[in-house]
Amino acid sequence: MAQTHTLAFEIGVEEIPAFDLHAAADQLQGMVPAAFDAARIPYGSFAVRTSPRRIIVMAYDVADATEALMEEHRGPAAKIAFDEAGKPTKAAIGFARGKGLAPEDLERREVGGVEYVFATKSVPAVPVIDLLPTVLTGFIEDLKWPRSQRWAAYREYFVRPVRWILALLDDAVIPLRFANLTSGNVSWGHRVLAPGPHEVATAADLLDVVRSEYVVPSEAEREEIIRAGVARIEEETGLAAELPAKTLLEVVNLSEYPQPLLGSFDEEFLRVPEEIIVDAMLMHQRYFPLYDADHALTNKFVIVSNGDPRCAATIVDGNERVVRARLDDAKFFYEEDLKQPLEAYVEKLDQVVFQESLGTVRAKALRLQRLARFLGREAGLPAADAADLERAAYLCKADLVTNAVIEFTSVQGVMGSYYAAAAGETPQVARAIGQHYQPRFAGDAAPDSTVGKLVAFADKLDTICGLFAVRQGPTGSSDPFGLRRGAIGIVGMLDAGLPVSLGSSVDESLAAFADQGIVFDAAAARAAVIDFFATRTKVILRDRGAAADAVDSVLATGVAEPAIVCSRVRALEAARTQSPEVMGNLAIAYARANNLRDASLGTEVDPALFGGVESSLDDAVAAAAEAVPQALSAHDYPAALRQLAALRGPIDAFFDEVRVMDDDVALRANRLRLLNKFVAVFTGVADFGKLAKRA
């Protein structure tokens, strides 16, 4: 049995950004087997390991050499490859050259009664160690980073400066160079606890050497250590930690030798709004807050140290002093902000540009106030709620210029809610301000009141309409203002029953921009916004599992209101599942009529030319033409579908007994008009031609 080997490859770098490191490990899971297969390197298994200062690829049961191969390729037919004199043609010469052979090396064989030329080429075995330098260098050069850099005078790029390269096949060093570094058998340990260098005798020893030098070279293992340490602290204190996935992933990839420790801050800071404290700990310092049994924030928190365990007390003290300084700032900013009512900050919004062509945030606040007034009427709100809606829309951006939000940006809106309550605004106004950025993403909760939803709706719609008005809508993957997220939020709220019209709201929003002196093509902007929402609605429905043809058939009717589109698509999908016979009748009835109709003739029929089945069909169409719009007005889409399905019998009888394309021109035209009239009943419901193949 051929001997196999262990491969160890380590790229040592300055600290890699946490999320970039996680993404690189994911990339390598696909890159490693692809590179080995492309080089025809036999191996048993591989593993990718990482820490903030290293990326490791281990491969096991790597063969001595690639397998020798006899490659065989079939080329053109012999009659094309050789002329009548038996000389090779351009086809044969080109085929042979492509395979590294001369035309006389080609073989002729018969396959299925046809003679072809074949190129047979022997590929010898190659020592794997000769292939590995190119493969391993590719792992460095081919990794994709959000941002790379050069350092010193080197031309090579990487996410951070590369400081060492270890490359071993068992105990043999694999020679490669990158950024003036030569590979070797030396690794480096924890920056503080065991910096190194540390010699690695053989590839199989690398992970053990790294671990012995206070580095945990596994993201999953570091997470397990952190979770276990947090659980220990929870048990000791009787408190519960909050471990948001994003922050946890970042902390896992910030430490090579993680040690969870307990810290605390002065209880007086608990008088500061909880959101600021949590923001200071999670977002700024990557600490995990601890809560009591009632889920009230406490003055305790978890630190994840990457230092010397013997210095735990010093590490905790240093981190507590950092938190104390941050919270002291937060307390000062909060108390300073409370010295003025929230409304006093609105005027200062003139100092903040919303968008270069759309003016300041204060101009946006005035537009929101106007749009909110319109939405209150549109939704039929009681006077008190309408007043709260307008007030919340006017004040919702005011906290952007407060000290606390300038320092802790993630609490915008939330701080406005606190300041509104402190200034004596109604609870509904304060709550709507605090929630008006919701929903922030698909699946996020919407505001919990109609007033809050309408403020959120107005804010998102104003941004979307404004950016489209000045031709700054999203393109490709670029969406700096989050218009797609905003549209998803709006569609979700409308689909959940928010009692306003998207179309009329878009008109009001665009009018507000025009009245502020912003010049744009209103008709083009409106069309672009409506199309943008139609596309978002389609994407949302597809993500929910709706069939593409069901969505397309509803959108083809020109319906622009997302709530109506969503309800109709759900009804079509339900009918397909629960009443396949209804959908079958609909599709067949529509298809038979639509295939023959002539739209240019119109729908004015002459009853005097009708026979019995024609009169019956005309009566059934007239009844449906009255019942279907009533069902649609009542948003009873299933009833509309049933009314249309009932036309199957009359249209079948019509086709069974009547020759539509009669020799009598008058009869033929009248029957075609009747079919036009029949199809017209369907047009406001869905384009059933798109469903016919699925039915």
Side-chain angles (χ1 to χ4, degrees):
M1 185 175 187
Q3 185 179 1
T4 60
H5 311 275
T6 299
L7 166 70
F9 179 56
E10 180 183 45
I11 312 165
V13 293
E14 299 289 345
E15 281 77 1
I16 301 173
F19 300 117
D20 295 353
L21 179 63
H22 180 78
D26 282 346
Q27 288 182 61
L28 284 167
Q29 293 294 338
M31 287 174 61
V32 172
F36 278 35
D37 291 346
R40 300 193 301 109
I41 297 175
Y43 69 101
S45 61
F46 77 95
V48 176
R49 297 289 182 261
T50 62
S51 80
R53 297 176 60 226
R54 74 202 67 234
I55 297 172
I56 295 172
V57 174
M58 300 292 300
Y60 303 97
D61 298 323
V62 179
D64 272 320
T66 62
E67 294 181 2
L69 293 177
M70 187 64 72
E71 292 183 348
E72 184 177 276
H73 304 277
R74 188 171 78 176
K79 64 180 181 181
I80 298 173
F82 298 97
D83 62 19
E84 293 179 357
K87 294 182 179 180
T89 65
K90 289 183 178 180
I93 294 169
F95 173 65
R97 185 189 304 118
K99 305 307 176 187
L101 301 174
E104 54 268 24
D105 295 326
L106 297 177
E107 301 176 23
R108 300 168 69 144
R109 297 183 212 160
E110 187 175 303
V111 178
V114 178
E115 190 177 31
Y116 292 91
V117 295
F118 284 80
T120 303
K121 183 178 179 182
S122 175
V123 180
V126 178
V128 164
I129 198 165
D130 294 342
L131 301 173
L132 286 174
T134 300
V135 171
L136 300 182
T137 302
F139 293 157
I140 305 176
E141 296 177 341
D142 296 341
L143 278 171
K144 299 294 187 289
W145 305 99
R147 192 168 297 165
S148 294
Q149 66 179 74
R150 291 193 304 181
W151 59 98
Y154 310 134
R155 300 179 62 84
E156 292 86 350
Y157 284 89
F158 203 63
V159 64
R160 288 293 184 270
V162 177
R163 296 308 187 199
W164 76 88
I165 300 172
L166 179 146
L168 291 173
L169 188 65
D170 287 344
D171 59 354
V173 173
I174 302 165
L176 60 97
R177 287 179 63 84
F178 181 81
N180 208 35
L181 284 171
T182 301
S183 58
N185 65 342
V186 171
S187 182
W188 294 72
H190 188 281
R191 188 181 288 278
V192 175
L193 298 173
H198 305 284
E199 185 174 321
V200 180
T202 182
D205 295 341
L206 174 61
L207 294 180
D208 289 337
V209 170
V210 167
R211 289 181 186 280
S212 71
E213 303 308 331
Y214 298 95
V215 174
V216 181
S218 163
E219 182 180 295
E221 190 177 342
R222 291 195 301 277
E223 179 177 341
E224 184 179 340
I225 290 169
I226 291 171
R227 288 188 179 277
V230 170
R232 173 182 51 77
I233 291 172
E234 289 177 325
E235 185 176 357
E236 291 172 356
T237 62
L239 305 175
E242 180 180 317
L243 303 176
K246 183 177 180 181
T247 306
L248 178 60
L249 176 62
E250 189 172 10
V251 170
V252 164
N253 284 328
L254 286 174
S255 54
E256 292 200 306
Y257 191 65
Q259 309 145 63
L261 304 171
L262 177 65
S264 63
F265 56 84
D266 294 337
E267 290 191 354
E268 67 169 304
F269 291 121
L270 292 175
R271 293 198 292 269
V272 176
E274 175 181 320
E275 290 82 359
I276 291 187
I277 300 174
V278 172
D279 179 90
M281 288 195 289
L282 282 176
M283 305 298 292
H284 291 258
Q285 303 305 135
R286 280 74 179 180
Y287 303 150
F288 299 114
L290 289 165
Y291 296 83
D292 65 19
D294 297 323
H295 201 67
L297 183 67
T298 71
N299 67 327
K300 302 288 192 301
F301 59 93
V302 177
I303 305 156
V304 178
S305 167
N306 189 40
D308 190 337
R310 295 170 297 181
C311 301
T314 303
I315 293 170
V316 169
D317 180 67
N319 282 277
E320 287 179 344
R321 282 189 282 110
V322 170
V323 167
R324 189 178 304 116
R326 294 293 295 168
L327 296 183
D328 197 46
D329 287 344
K331 181 173 180 290
F332 172 77
F333 292 145
Y334 176 60
E335 291 172 349
E336 283 295 302
D337 290 340
L338 286 174
K339 291 178 180 178
Q340 299 183 78
L342 183 60
E343 186 173 11
Y345 292 98
V346 175
E347 188 172 341
K348 297 179 183 179
L349 293 174
D350 266 331
Q351 302 167 14
V352 183
V353 175
F354 168 56
Q355 197 272 342
E356 184 180 5
S357 301
L358 300 176
T360 66
V361 178
R362 184 164 185 259
K364 180 180 177 71
L366 295 174
R367 291 193 303 271
L368 293 181
Q369 184 181 31
R370 167 178 169 166
L371 184 54
R373 192 179 307 124
F374 168 82
L375 293 173
R377 295 193 300 269
E378 177 96 348
L381 295 184
D385 287 346
D388 280 352
L389 169 60
E390 188 174 341
R391 184 67 173 169
Y394 178 67
L395 296 175
C396 67
K397 299 299 179 184
D399 69 350
L400 292 178
V401 289
T402 61
N403 293 298
V405 172
I406 291 172
E407 183 67 19
F408 302 94
T409 56
S410 71
V411 295
Q412 56 187 279
V414 172
M415 294 312 299
S417 177
Y418 281 104
Y419 297 147
E425 303 291 343
T426 69
Q428 185 166 237
V429 167
R431 190 165 63 252
I433 292 171
Q435 297 177 346
H436 84 277
Y437 289 106
Q438 298 174 220
R440 296 176 180 85
F441 48 84
D444 188 25
D448 58 14
S449 69
T450 300
V451 167
K453 290 183 178 71
L454 290 172
V455 176
F457 176 93
D459 178 37
K460 291 171 173 57
L461 186 64
D462 175 86
T463 301
I464 291 169
C465 289
L467 270 295
F468 272 97
V470 296
R471 299 179 179 273
Q472 294 295 315
T475 56
S477 60
S478 175
D479 187 10
F481 283 83
L483 303 191
R484 293 187 181 95
R485 290 194 305 272
I488 289 171
I490 286 176
V491 171
M493 290 188 290
L494 290 171
D495 188 31
L498 193 64
V500 293
S501 160
L502 176 66
S504 60
S505 300
V506 169
D507 292 337
E508 182 67 17
S509 180
L510 292 174
F513 283 102
D515 289 349
Q516 286 187 346
I518 297 167
V519 178
F520 61 96
D521 184 334
R526 186 186 197 281
V529 171
I530 295 300
D531 182 66
F532 176 66
F533 273 99
T535 301
R536 289 299 97 201
T537 303
K538 181 175 182 176
V539 170
I540 291 168
L541 288 168
R542 291 296 306 277
D543 288 346
R544 293 175 182 173
D549 59 346
V551 179
D552 290 340
S553 68
V554 173
L555 289 174
T557 66
V559 176
E561 292 296 328
I564 295 176
V565 173
C566 291
S567 66
R568 292 188 180 186
V569 168
R570 280 194 293 270
L572 281 178
E573 294 284 84
R576 275 179 164 167
T577 302
Q578 301 166 11
S579 307
E581 72 286 351
V582 172
M583 293 303 294
N585 288 341
L586 280 170
I588 293 170
Y590 180 87
R592 296 194 73 177
N594 193 50
N595 288 340
L596 279 177
R597 74 187 181 95
D598 183 349
S600 66
L601 296 175
T603 59
E604 291 295 325
V605 296
D606 182 358
L609 298 177
F610 284 162
V613 292
E614 292 166 289
S615 294
S616 298
L617 178 59
D618 189 48
D619 290 342
V621 168
E626 180 178 355
V628 168
Q630 291 176 356
L632 294 179
S633 296
H635 303 293
D636 190 350
Y637 200 63
L641 293 177
R642 289 193 297 271
Q643 289 290 338
L644 294 177
L647 294 174
R648 170 72 190 277
I651 195 69
D652 280 352
F654 172 81
F655 280 117
D656 288 344
E657 299 186 26
V658 171
R659 187 161 69 94
V660 176
M661 307 306 287
D662 197 275
D663 295 336
D664 186 315
V665 175
L667 282 176
R668 181 168 70 243
N670 200 53
R671 288 166 182 170
L672 290 172
R673 291 188 184 98
L674 180 57
L675 292 181
N676 291 344
K677 189 176 179 181
F678 175 89
V679 170
V681 181
F682 286 73
T683 56
V685 180
D687 182 348
F688 287 91
K690 296 182 181 298
L691 298 172
K693 292 182 180 180
R694 283 277 309 262

